[in-house]
């Protein structure tokens, strides 16, 4: 019995490729529209998953045919072709991003941009993002190269997949001579099933990291690979191709429309767009205008599909850079113009960079190692541009950090929260300290004292006086308590207090149920609070506990008795303080967007938010404080007037992101916080 041969891949002139190009067009437009108009197409991110399935189908078909024809895979040639196809355009955009860091982006972005551009250059950006996603204190402002995570994952697929197929071929030759293709299909299926199971589990337990890591996405490539290895799965006849194809399109569009940021993804929910994509790929019928192949394979669709790689590369950096270009931004028709610019740059990149380098005889007629030397050269170019941006900007970064440190050591008169109707400093007129370009970097130190999202062990840090007779103060809470750590440390040093901190991201000191980004986080918050209760019962009671919390924390409490339950949750937790006086604070306004972006191009008066939009209607922590007889500090009048809340107060830049205070502004609250604590000491 002869072994069945794999169906040959059609040439570009065939009737099959155009509808795949149309599918690429759908994928890239879903991603672009999702990013340009956030919220309008809430599930547009599934366009990346469409690309993964297409890549799995095309690459596996190519490799399988080579194995079928020659019994081997010319790995050096395969990898060289992939490099010539993908790297030139990718490095071009990375150079643009490095120039944006040098000339356009805020100084505070230097560290994260440099780190991620290098990660993207060497194709491990997905792992860089996975590692930073579990760091609550990491800057979560998107960089210009964040979208390179999917390209990094694809490159990892291109490295691993041929080796996997080669291993399967060896098994087939050695143990399945009559059916040597069976191990290949079997291994692809097993790897895909295991990856899908891992994706579902990891998405449920650690969704932020699961979105980026390699093994949670391999099954999507595997879905396309199975189609390439089993051509009999493709429907035949006059009606089946269209029925399956249009059903697949409906599944893709349904996912793009109904999915959102709260959808657990990837995991099992990714089955909808992945299976939908596979269904469309199998249907290449294009005999009539209503056939799926005809609808997807028209000239406009093929054009967009042809430039889809460059379009994907360019759209995201332009979105990130646009708000920092004076007079541009991302409002109104500017978004439409941005898309037009993306198309123009994508076409130019395709015509003058992608295609020429891919077909340049200098590389194609020489051994693959010549291409690899070119790869090294291109990566070196990207690294040199990043290095240049670092060399130029890092001295400015260090200088501004040093200047800010001097200001914090000796705060100007009537600065920040110290300002008021009876206290104004003319020297601060027009000042913004720290500058909008550096505001995002003005964060507290002592990150070792901060418990990360999925961790539950209590970290107790001690500052100030070591005298056994010194007043004992504790700082307890979430990141909105952590933002006062430098203020409390300065007070402890100044007033001879002994300070101990207990801090965990997104986990306020309450017994009320808190939801979070994953079940793992929710469990860690419950465990941390239990561990904290044990810790507080094991140490001598503190004299005063200062606590704060984000007022908009996502509690899992019904609307009917929301305020009372949350208030009682704080009251119950405070009993663990064993009689210590409680000093707490009404939460600061929570801006819709990071005001530093606005302040870069506009006056402070134009960078305000309506009071009703950014202040919590009721702060449960303040309600608890009033009932428990705690000292409740309320600085709302420092942040806001009767109508709006300010991003700059008394010359001080208030925010380091949309809801956390700059370290500098928090220090200006020190005198009032210190006096409130001192008044409660025995």
């Amino acid at each position: 019995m002869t072994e069945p041969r794999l169906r040959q891949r059609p040439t570009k002139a065939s009737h099959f490729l155009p509808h795949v190009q149309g599918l690429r067009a759908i994928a890239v437009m879903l991603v672009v529209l999702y990013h340009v108009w956030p919220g309008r197409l809430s599930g547009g991110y599934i366009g990346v998953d469409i690309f993964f399935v297409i890549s799995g189908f095309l690459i596996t078909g190519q490799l399988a045919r080579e194995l079928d024809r020659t019994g081997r895979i010319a790995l050096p040639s395969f990898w060289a072709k992939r490099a010539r196809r993908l790297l030139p355009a990718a490095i071009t955009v990375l150079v643009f991003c490095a120039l944006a860091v040098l000339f356009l982006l805020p100084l505070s972005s230097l560290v994260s941009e440099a780190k991620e551009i290098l990660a993207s250059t060497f194709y491990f950006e997905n792992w860089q993002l996975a590692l930073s996603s579990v760091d609550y204190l990491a800057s979560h402002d998107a960089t210009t190269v964040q979208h390179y995570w999917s390209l990094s994952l694809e490159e990892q697929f291109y490295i691993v997949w041929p080796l996997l197929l080669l291993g399967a071929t060896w098994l087939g030759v050695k143990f399945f001579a009559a059916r040597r293709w069976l191990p290949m299909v079997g291994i692809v299926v097993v790897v895909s099933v295991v990856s899908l199971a891992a994706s579902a589990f990891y998405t449920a337990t650690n969704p932020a990291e699961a979105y980026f890591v390699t093994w949670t996405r391999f099954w999507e490539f595997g879905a396309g690979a199975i189609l390439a290895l089993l051509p009999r799965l493709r429907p035949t006849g006059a009606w089946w191709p269209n029925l399956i194809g249009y059903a697949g399109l409906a599944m893709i569009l349904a996912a793009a429309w109904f999915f959102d940021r709260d959808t657990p993804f990837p995991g099992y929910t990714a089955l909808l767009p992945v299976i939908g994509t596979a269904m469309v790929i199998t249907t290449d019928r294009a005999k009539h205008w209503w056939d799926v192949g005809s609808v997807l394979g028209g000239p406009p669709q093929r054009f967009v599909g042809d430039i889809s790689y460059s379009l994907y590369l360019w759209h995201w950096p332009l979105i990130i850079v646009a708000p920092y270009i004076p007079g541009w931004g991302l409002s109104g028709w500017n978004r439409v113009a941005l898309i037009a610019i993306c198309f123009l740059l994508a076409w130019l990149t395709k015509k003058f960079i992608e295609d020429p380098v891919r077909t340049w005889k200098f590389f194609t007629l020489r051994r693959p190692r010549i291409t690899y030397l070119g790869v090294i050269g291109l990566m070196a170019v990207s690294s040199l541009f990043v290095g240049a941006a670092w060399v130029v900007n890092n001295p400015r970064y260090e200088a501004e950090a040093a200047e800010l440190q001097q200001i914090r050591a000796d705060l100007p008169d009537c600065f920040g929260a110290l300002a008021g109707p009876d206290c104004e400093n003319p020297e601060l007129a027009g000042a913004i300290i720290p500058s909008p370009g550096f505001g995002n970097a003005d964060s507290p130190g002592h990150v070792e004292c901060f418990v990360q999202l999925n961790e539950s062990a209590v970290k107790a840090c001690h500052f100030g006086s070591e005298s056994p007779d010194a007043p004992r103060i504790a700082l307890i809470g979430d990141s909105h308590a952590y933002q006062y750590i430098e203020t409390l440390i300065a007070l402890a040093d100044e007033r001879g207090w002994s300070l101990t901190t207990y801090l965990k991201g997104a986990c306020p000191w309450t017994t009320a149920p808190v939801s979070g980004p994953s079940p793992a986080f929710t469990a860690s918050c419950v465990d941390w609070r239990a561990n904290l209760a044990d810790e507080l019962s094991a140490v001598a009671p503190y004299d005063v506990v200062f606590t704060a919390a984000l007022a908009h924390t996502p509690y899992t409490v019904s609307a009917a008795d929301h305020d009372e339950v949350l208030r009682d949750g704080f009251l119950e937790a405070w009993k663990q303080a064993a009689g210590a006086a409680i000093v707490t604070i009404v939460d600061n306004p929570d801006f819709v967007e990071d005001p530093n972006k606005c302040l870069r191009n506009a006056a402070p008066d134009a960078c305000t938010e309506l009071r009703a939009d950014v202040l919590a209607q009721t702060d449960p922590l303040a309600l608890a404080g009033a009932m428990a007889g705690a000292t409740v500090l309320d600085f709302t009048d420092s942040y806001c007037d009767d109508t709006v809340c300010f991003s700059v107060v008394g010359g001080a830049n208030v925010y380091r992101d949309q809801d956390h205070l700059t370290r500098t502004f928090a220090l200006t609250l020190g005198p009032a916080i210190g006096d409130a604590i001192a008044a409660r000491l025995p």
Side-chain angles (χ1 to χ4, degrees), residues 469-522:
D469 298 325
R472 300 178 66 249
I473 314 298
L475 170 63
I476 305 177
D478 59 10
S479 64
H480 278 231
Y482 171 71
Q483 69 187 357
Y484 299 108
I485 188 171
E486 301 289 354
T487 306
L488 270 292
I489 291 173
L491 288 170
D493 291 337
E494 173 189 328
R495 305 197 184 198
W497 299 340
S498 174
L499 173 68
T500 304
T501 65
Y502 305 100
L503 303 161
K504 175 172 168 59
C507 188
W509 185 32
T510 175
T511 61
V514 176
S515 65
S518 70
F521 163 76
T522 303

Side-chain angles (χ1 to χ4, degrees), residues 289-516:
W289 66 266
W290 61 80
D291 289 332
V292 172
S294 300
V295 171
L296 291 178
Q301 300 92 306
R302 294 200 307 271
F303 171 76
V304 176
D306 203 37
I307 66 169
S308 59
Y309 176 59
S310 290
L311 186 58
Y312 180 81
L313 287 174
W314 278 111
H315 85 283
W316 183 251
L318 295 184
I319 290 172
I320 298 301
V321 168
Y324 299 107
I325 300 176
W328 184 262
L330 285 174
S331 59
W333 285 99
N334 287 357
R335 296 177 188 266
V336 178
L338 183 72
I339 292 178
I341 294 171
C342 290
F343 269 86
L344 176 61
L345 288 174
W347 175 75
L348 291 172
T349 304
K350 172 70 174 173
K351 183 175 179 62
F352 296 107
I353 296 176
E354 279 192 63
D355 290 343
V357 176
R358 180 170 54 85
T359 58
W360 193 8
K361 292 182 179 179
F362 179 82
F363 291 117
T364 59
L365 297 181
R366 286 174 168 82
R367 292 184 177 182
R369 62 170 172 259
I370 302 300
T371 295
Y372 297 151
L373 290 175
V375 168
I376 294 172
L378 284 174
M379 288 181 168
V381 168
S382 178
S383 302
L384 286 172
F385 271 87
V386 176
W390 181 271
V391 168
V392 172
N393 282 349
N394 192 55
R396 295 171 49 217
Y397 187 100
E398 296 295 338
E400 186 145 0
E403 181 181 4
L404 192 57
Q405 186 174 0
Q406 291 179 348
I407 292 172
R408 290 196 296 249
D410 185 15
L411 294 175
D413 294 334
C414 306
F415 176 61
L418 301 174
D422 301 324
C423 185
E424 295 184 5
N425 187 341
E427 295 181 0
L428 295 174
I432 304 177
I433 304 172
S435 69
F438 201 72
N440 299 129
D442 191 20
S443 56
H446 303 287
V447 297
E448 72 279 2
C449 303
F450 191 85
V451 178
Q452 294 295 340
L453 285 176
N454 291 343
E455 298 176 357
S456 59
V458 171
K459 296 180 181 179
C461 289
H462 304 283
F463 304 94
S465 175
E466 296 181 1
S467 170
D469 298 325
R472 300 178 66 249
I473 314 298
L475 170 63
I476 305 177
D478 59 10
S479 64
H480 278 231
Y482 171 71
Q483 69 187 357
Y484 299 108
I485 188 171
E486 301 289 354
T487 306
L488 270 292
I489 291 173
L491 288 170
D493 291 337
E494 173 189 328
R495 305 197 184 198
W497 299 340
S498 174
L499 173 68
T500 304
T501 65
Y502 305 100
L503 303 161
K504 175 172 168 59
C507 188
W509 185 32
T510 175
T511 61
V514 176
S515 65

Side-chain angles (χ1 to χ4, degrees), residues 54 91 137 161 180 215 242 303 344 379 424 426 479 540 577 677:
I54 293 173
I91 295 297
L137 299 178
W161 206 249
R180 57 191 177 97
W215 58 74
N242 282 331
F303 171 76
L344 176 61
M379 288 181 168
E424 295 184 5
S479 64
I677 292 174

Side-chain angles (χ1 to χ4, degrees), residues 582-593:
I582 301 294
V583 177
T584 188
I585 188 168
V586 173
D587 195 26
N588 55 268
D590 184 350
F591 269 45
V592 177
E593 287 193 5

